[in-house]
Amino acid sequence: MIHKTTKLAIFAFLTFPAISSPAWAGSAVYLGTRVAQSRQVSIDKIDHAAWDAITRKYVDTNGMVNYRGLKASAADMQALARYLNLLSTANPSLPASPDATLAFWINAYNAVTVHGILREYPTTSIRNHTAKLWGYNIWKDLQLYVGGKPYSLDQIEHEVLRKKGDPRIHFAIVCASIGCPRLLNEAYVPDRLQEQLQLNAKDFFARSQNFRYDPANRRMQLSSILDWFGEDFGGNQAAQLKRIAEWLPSQTAQAAARQNAVSVSYLDYNWNLNSQ
């Protein structure tokens, strides 16, 4: 006779294989599924309704996530797994619109990250799961099959999204930390993508954890994201400030940024979990 706890463990493995994988294993964890090329479709055909429903239910207007509630819901965990399987059916090599492609990979990054945190939850920070020398590193080892190829979070960010040339992706992809931009409580969708990216860029700079301006001393403090990925916004401080000016929360800050009439420093990054 199989013990009750053993039955539960078998059920968890069959239903949520990624979540049951040990975080200390140090080997790749694959999400989604390998899909035969004959069954792959254009990114244009991917429907993000499932991710939209999950974020509306478990993410608040500040981007904080109810991980506990989501992990406790077998139905919604299965919905998340099915969504990841759906993402796997996309073939990035097939023709697709630029906005559909950008929305697809932003949603993929965020959904994989949330799934990765749920494997570890309860936890206090994604940094607890980013081994440098050996062991499991969520950014490298958690991989989603898309079009038959596995993509890590690092690959999605650096090899796919950043190469699209739109720095607003840095205000859309969320590494499950308070210092990140807010996780939008809806899916990114092609027909509203530009509006959504603008909205979250402005929200990002409206928060004091990401932007502070001292006009008396002509000083701006920016999120460390602008330090780490400054080159995506321009080749020097003047270009970078000019690029972000439209998203700053006041006209005086916008004018100072466009004139490069400030000194710039960077705020400490808050790696605590973006948990409700």
Side-chain angles (χ1 to χ4, degrees):
M1 178 181 292
I2 300 177
H3 192 272
K4 181 179 179 181
T5 55
T6 304
K7 288 182 177 179
L8 290 174
I10 293 172
F11 171 78
F13 178 79
L14 293 176
T15 309
F16 316 123
I19 288 185
S20 64
S21 302
W24 42 262
S27 57
V29 173
Y30 297 104
L31 305 179
T33 183
R34 288 181 177 174
V35 177
Q37 189 170 1
S38 61
R39 293 176 49 230
Q40 295 170 18
V41 300
S42 165
I43 281 175
D44 280 337
K45 296 184 179 298
I46 300 299
D47 186 345
H48 300 286
W51 179 239
D52 188 78
I54 290 169
T55 54
R56 288 181 186 276
K57 186 173 181 179
Y58 292 103
V59 182
D60 67 21
T61 55
N62 287 314
M64 305 299 277
V65 184
N66 181 4
Y67 293 106
R68 183 186 302 276
L70 177 50
K71 189 166 185 176
S73 171
D76 288 329
M77 288 298 298
Q78 290 171 341
L80 178 56
R82 287 194 298 270
Y83 175 65
L84 295 174
N85 286 340
L86 176 63
L87 295 181
S88 293
T89 67
N91 183 336
S93 298
L94 294 176
S97 74
D99 281 0
T101 301
L102 205 55
F104 174 93
W105 287 110
I106 291 171
N107 289 332
Y109 185 98
N110 290 339
V112 169
T113 300
V114 167
H115 198 286
I117 291 298
L118 291 167
R119 293 183 66 242
E120 316 298 340
Y121 195 82
T123 185
T124 58
S125 173
I126 194 171
R127 291 294 293 271
N128 297 335
H129 315 288
T130 55
K132 296 296 188 293
L133 298 178
W134 60 274
Y136 175 77
N137 185 319
I138 190 171
W139 287 318
K140 299 181 184 299
D141 294 325
L142 189 63
Q143 301 182 22
L144 173 69
Y145 280 111
V146 178
K149 175 185 174 181
Y151 290 82
S152 69
L153 289 169
D154 271 359
Q155 287 174 309
I156 293 173
E157 180 177 10
H158 302 297
E159 298 178 19
V160 180
L161 283 170
R162 291 182 66 196
K163 289 186 177 180
K164 300 299 181 187
D166 190 334
R168 293 176 299 175
I169 63 104
H170 294 296
F171 313 129
I173 58 174
V174 181
C175 64
S177 303
I178 292 174
C180 292
R182 67 172 176 173
L183 178 61
L184 206 60
N185 60 348
E186 61 182 15
Y188 286 87
V189 290
D191 59 348
R192 292 185 53 236
L193 178 68
Q194 298 304 318
E195 173 192 346
Q196 290 173 310
L197 289 175
Q198 283 294 100
L199 179 70
N200 236 29
K202 290 180 178 180
D203 178 88
F204 182 83
F205 288 102
R207 297 176 185 267
S208 62
Q209 68 187 32
N210 302 321
F211 175 76
R212 298 173 192 172
Y213 174 47
D214 177 1
N217 295 301
R218 296 189 175 186
R219 181 186 181 195
M220 281 188 180
Q221 294 176 283
L222 306 177
S223 164
S224 291
I225 290 174
L226 277 297
D227 183 21
W228 301 331
F229 303 109
E231 65 191 70
D232 292 356
F233 295 85
N236 53 46
Q237 177 177 298
Q240 293 162 10
L241 290 177
K242 185 177 181 180
R243 185 66 184 89
I244 70 171
E246 66 177 296
W247 307 315
L248 300 185
S250 71
Q251 291 185 351
T252 54
Q254 292 173 10
R258 290 190 176 101
Q259 296 164 13
N260 192 26
V262 293
S263 63
V264 172
S265 60
Y266 298 96
L267 297 159
D268 291 336
Y269 200 77
N270 187 342
W271 287 104
N272 289 327
L273 190 68
N274 62 340
S275 179
Q276 290 180 16

